[in-house]
Amino acid sequence: MSLQSRIVERIWHLPPAVTRSVAVARGLRIPTPDGVELLADVYRPRRVPGAPTILIRTPYGRRGLVSRLTCRTFAERGYNVVVATCRGTDGAGGVFDPFLDDRKDGLATLDWVEEQAWHNGKVLMFGPSYLGYVQLALAPDAGDRITALVPMITTSGFRDNWYYGGAFELAGLLAWTARMVTLERSNPLKADVLELLGDRRARNAMTHLPLAEVDTLGTGRQVDWFQRWLVTERPGDPYWGPEREHRDRIGQITAPTLLFGGWHDVLLLGQLEDYAAMRAAGRNPYLTIGPWLHVSFEMFAAAVRESLVWFRAHVTGDHTVLREQPVRIYVQGAEQWREYPEWPPPGTTGQTWYLQPDRGLAPTPPRDGADRFRYDPANPTPTVGGPLLDPKTGGRKDNAELEAGPDVLSYTSATLDEPLEVIGPVSANIQLRTSTGHADVFVRLCDVDPSGRSVNVCDGLQRITPETFPADADATHTVPVRLWPTAYRFDPGHRLRLQISGGSFPRFARNTGTGESLGQATTLTPTDHEIWHASSITLPVQPA
């Protein structure tokens, strides 16, 4: 048992190991039908006969951070662990083209596992982000060849996340691209550090226009897939076909599935769409959502603990070890875990809050009126907290400086006399005029405590064009905005606050106000926004 194993076991509060002796075979070759060879390392617990297998497929290296933290941890608890490369990564053959080959390469890897003498017939899958996506790409075809899955902070289809609300998720995609280029240069340790601490070179490049040049500035070379993403943003583009997107098949997954996510994860919306699709197909996935971002050691530790219980239940058939209710969520504000039979929880009712004169917010329709602000893409409204890849800057943050800006409107409720629990999907309906016809509307719900500190709860953005949201005869656009779902308790003495602005940069690529193409736009035109008080936010409220 290594020192790392001792540290991980203690910090993560893991059950005791069943063996301290693990054999490791490295660089095993996995053939694929088109002749490309993938690579795998295998961790096998000694003196554990008939051990089931955990399969982890990764583009981040067999000795990357996730692999280092999980392979020996699971092996010491009685599992064979196969950590296998994705095509074109970590010495594997072929070219890495995100999402394209993971369905067929996953099946080839599963074939290889089943041919090994040590295989006992039970295959489990585990992993976050891309390591979760590969599970959902493979599982619809694998049927009962997979015993159980734990896809974490992931989704079966990335397209809608990349262009959420019609805007390009610039910060996350350039940071991820920079990480992959660093890995390509055979430096997994540096790539892990960049993910945890942020990549200054990539961050600085985000301010550059045109966007077609930021990959070169941020990574040192032009990156094919990043260039493709800049020209495939329209819904229905064949690039995002069935080899890359798998939500239409997600209901075909028969393996018991535990979906594991976080309220401030960039992929949460897609993950909950996967959950809904599986439920609609008659499946009963389990779902855990905690107070986490995409990159979180606390989240990862919790996922390992739950996975050990999940795997044991489905390997042994003893389901009594599972929790009573399939949905377990963390209610922020109350700072407590709760369990429900489904998501969204039963009994929720929609409660609509409207903008009011004098920047008020109340559950009563207002008199006529409007407020105005100017969005200047040359000085874009900054990102403060929220669902980000960067663990330092994402999550719940003090919004005071953001709300003090002239390009952010804030509407605040009266002090609450009773607790208000908001648990479920959140949406807004914004009625506005714009001076250019090309604009973004960013909506954020905040919790204002008795001291006046405003902390973000959830948010969302919608891009407006003359084609997608045509103006009426009064030149008004009516724009629905889908916010991140949440589970949040507003305590007595607190107030609700709704922010409305013209963007959140660099989380989303700025709207240049011109309608020029995403990758080539360079002209920056300020946009005046007029927000009507008939605008509103609808909250899913749980009964007291």
Side-chain angles (χ1 to χ4, degrees), residues 56-312:
I56 298 171
R57 297 193 64 249
T58 177
Y60 303 130
R62 290 162 289 146
R63 302 182 198 184
L65 182 61
V66 171
S67 301
R68 293 198 307 274
L69 290 175
T70 54
C71 292
R72 189 170 290 273
T73 296
F74 281 128
E76 289 178 350
R77 282 151 189 83
Y79 294 90
N80 297 315
V81 181
V82 176
V83 55
T85 55
C86 291
R87 176 179 297 238
T89 67
D90 193 22
V95 176
F96 180 62
D97 191 347
F99 318 120
L100 179 63
D101 299 297
D102 292 297
R103 178 182 183 179
K104 62 183 180 183
D105 286 353
L107 289 169
T109 304
L110 181 59
D111 291 341
W112 180 86
V113 168
E114 292 174 339
E115 293 169 357
Q116 304 310 301
W118 40 260
H119 176 56
N120 82 337
K122 294 186 183 297
V123 176
L124 311 151
M125 295 191 75
F126 171 89
S129 195
Y130 203 108
L131 286 70
Y133 164 82
V134 298
Q135 299 176 52
L136 301 174
L138 160 68
D141 296 304
D144 60 6
R145 297 168 67 188
I146 302 293
T147 303
L149 305 170
V150 183
M152 303 154 51
I153 52 169
T154 196
T155 176
S156 63
F158 277 73
R159 186 261 163 218
D160 289 347
N161 291 269
W162 272 199
Y163 312 103
Y164 165 73
F168 187 64
E169 193 160 339
L170 175 61
L173 295 182
L174 186 56
W176 186 81
T177 297
R179 184 189 183 198
M180 296 307 298
V181 171
T182 301
L183 281 168
E184 181 185 88
R185 293 166 180 159
S186 302
N187 196 337
L189 179 59
K190 182 178 180 181
D192 291 338
V193 171
L194 291 178
E195 182 176 30
L196 295 174
L197 300 181
D199 186 333
R200 182 178 298 178
R201 182 180 182 183
R203 188 163 51 240
N204 291 339
M206 293 173 194
T207 62
H208 179 80
L209 291 174
L211 291 181
E213 296 173 356
V214 302
D215 53 341
T216 301
L217 292 173
T219 73
R221 73 169 179 85
Q222 190 175 80
V223 181
D224 290 345
W225 69 72
F226 190 87
Q227 293 294 316
R228 292 293 300 273
W229 293 343
L230 292 175
V231 297
T232 57
E233 75 271 23
R234 291 190 178 276
D237 191 287
Y239 174 86
W240 298 100
E243 289 304 315
R244 286 187 167 91
E245 298 280 290
H246 304 284
R247 182 154 299 123
D248 288 347
R249 305 187 306 123
I250 202 76
Q252 300 170 27
I253 294 177
T254 58
T257 302
L258 167 60
L259 299 169
F260 203 94
W263 292 123
H264 303 282
D265 176 34
V266 294
L267 299 177
L268 179 62
L269 284 173
Q271 188 167 53
L272 290 177
E273 287 175 353
D274 288 336
Y275 171 84
M278 296 178 79
R279 291 274 298 177
R283 313 299 179 195
N284 187 32
Y286 273 49
L287 175 68
T288 296
I289 309 177
W292 307 305
L293 287 97
H294 193 78
V295 179
S296 164
F297 281 111
E298 182 183 359
M299 176 275 299
F300 201 85
V304 171
R305 290 193 298 268
E306 283 204 27
S307 296
L308 287 168
V309 175
W310 185 252
F311 291 157
R312 174 188 166 195

Side-chain angles (χ1 to χ4, degrees), residues 421-464:
E421 292 201 345
V422 176
I423 304 178
V426 180
S427 62
N429 188 68
I430 307 299
Q431 296 185 26
L432 76 162
R433 291 172 176 165
T434 73
S435 61
T436 64
H438 295 277
D440 291 346
V441 58
F442 181 77
V443 180
R444 168 169 280 182
L445 176 66
C446 292
D447 177 12
V448 183
D449 70 17
S451 73
R453 184 172 184 261
S454 176
V455 175
N456 50 294
V457 174
C458 61
D459 52 45
L461 178 143
Q462 181 62 57
R463 178 150 292 190
I464 304 165

Side-chain angles (χ1 to χ4, degrees), residues 331-372:
V331 181
Q332 303 165 101
E335 314 306 337
Q336 61 182 225
W337 288 96
R338 295 189 193 160
E339 294 184 5
Y340 295 99
E342 61 184 342
W343 174 265
T348 299
T349 56
Q351 187 178 99
T352 301
W353 292 65
Y354 298 88
L355 311 188
Q356 303 291 327
D358 301 320
R359 302 291 180 86
L361 184 70
T364 54
R367 301 188 302 272
D368 291 339
D371 297 302
R372 297 163 183 82

